[in-house]
Amino acid sequence: MESFVIENRIWDPVETMPRSELRALQLVRLRALVERAAAIPLYREAFKENGITPDEIRSLDDIRRLPFTTKEDMRKHYPLGLLAVPREKIARIHGSSGTTGKPTFVAYTAEDMRIWADLCARFLVAGGLRPEHLVHIAFGYGLFTGGFGLHYGVERVGAAVVPAAAGNTPRQVMLIRDLGADVLVCTPSYALQIAEGARAEGIDPRTLPLRFGHFGGEPWTEDMRRQIEQELDLLAFNNYGLSEVVGPGVSGECAARDGMHIQEDHFLVECVDPETLEPVRDYEYGELVFTTLTKQGTPVIRYRSRDIAALDPCPCPCGRTTVRMSRVMGRTDDMLIIRGVNVFPSQIEEALLRVEGTAPHYQIVVERPGALDELTVRVEVRPEIFSDKMSQMQALRDRIDREIQSITGIRVRVELVEPQTIERSPGKAKRVLDLRK
Ligand code: DLL
């Protein structure tokens, strides 16, 4: 939105530190981490097996001598087996619900929380937040890191917060309008639901007072950004994070909105081939792996995020010297293999957003009726387009089919459904329904 051009502002000068200094700082912190992590049996044993001591970490490349950590490791050490400090030092516990039963917990010391608030403040300021703003947070407040993480970041900047939390969309619309929020914080899919909720109340969502949006917590596409900006008349920024590493605050976009700056003074990032675990080249897609350089409560070494993205080391016009990550293309565990072709839900989304008349509410159903996986894309049609005429609906279906084929290379079954039939979630949208299990 041209009307809301933002001025480049930097929260902490460390964000613009020369890379050589940044790397020296990372090395000091990595050594200290190896020392701290020896308090955790999982790492202590791995270090012993491979003869690793802090002194042997002489360059950042030595990170490759350290073991990877997976979600499975976190599950095995349920609930708090990966603490690096005595329990009394813990000030907060969050968790990630996951899809398979018990959450995995992450713990923060008071110092961890101070740093976390600062990390969120950095990307919020990079994306236009100023102390005079009013921020409406429609993320869940609870074990999920989204609500509290952003909340403290906003407070750190000195702006005002409306901790609306997730759900009850009509009430969200009322609060945004009546309190005059400038900034919206939630998942990208929920931003669109808020727009939809406003229309259902007879309110043009473009007349809401919002100027910026900071969205994250789930994958989204450039087309979805355009749609959100168009529907809510705001500037939309992307931010990324994961609970095992800290929550939101791992990376976020600056005013250039061309990749998310990874906060490398606190997180050492690698991008690896998920099969071979060897590093991929800059700009190539691979799995992001994070090492928490400063975290005290539950530090992680080489945590495999399962998120597929690419790293861009090119200097950014904003002056920050940190590496930028691309949008997350998908997760290794979200990737579908249909007749031998790898397909990510984000590719389906990209195709749908190219076809006018379809709402960005969709669900991908995977089944295995025989030997092969079959994929059905259920797409909601916008109310104004939905028609009883078979021929019109057939033409729409054909267009979607063609777009999906041109992006993914495969043909899928497309099912058009009536407006409001796909289940909405106030948090992360559930895009894939896997009926194979
Ligand atoms: O979703 C933390 C967060 C909250 C980030 C709010 C940003 C805003 P988890 O619940 O542990 O933590 O889920 C982490 O969500 O591994 C990605 O797959 C996905 N994810 C988070 N942000 C983005 C994003 C939070 N901007 C998982 N783009 C991650 C794509 C994202 N995927």
Side-chain angles (χ1 to χ4, degrees), residues 139 144-145 216-219 238-243 307 328 331 428:
F139 267 134
F144 176 54
T145 52
E218 64 182 5
N238 193 5
N239 72 87
Y240 165 90
L242 58 168
S243 4
D307 290 323
V328 173
R331 289 174 57 79
K428 305 186 187 221

Side-chain angles (χ1 to χ4, degrees), residues 64 269-274 276-288 308-314 323-326:
R64 295 182 60 190
V269 65
E270 299 167 81
C271 188
V272 303
D273 177 321
T276 64
L277 300 179
E278 288 300 315
V280 301
R281 282 197 287 271
D282 290 338
Y283 310 104
E284 263 178 28
Y285 280 88
E287 179 178 350
L288 298 183
I308 301 293
L311 297 179
D312 175 358
C314 199
V323 87
R324 282 171 284 166
M325 60 180 268
S326 66

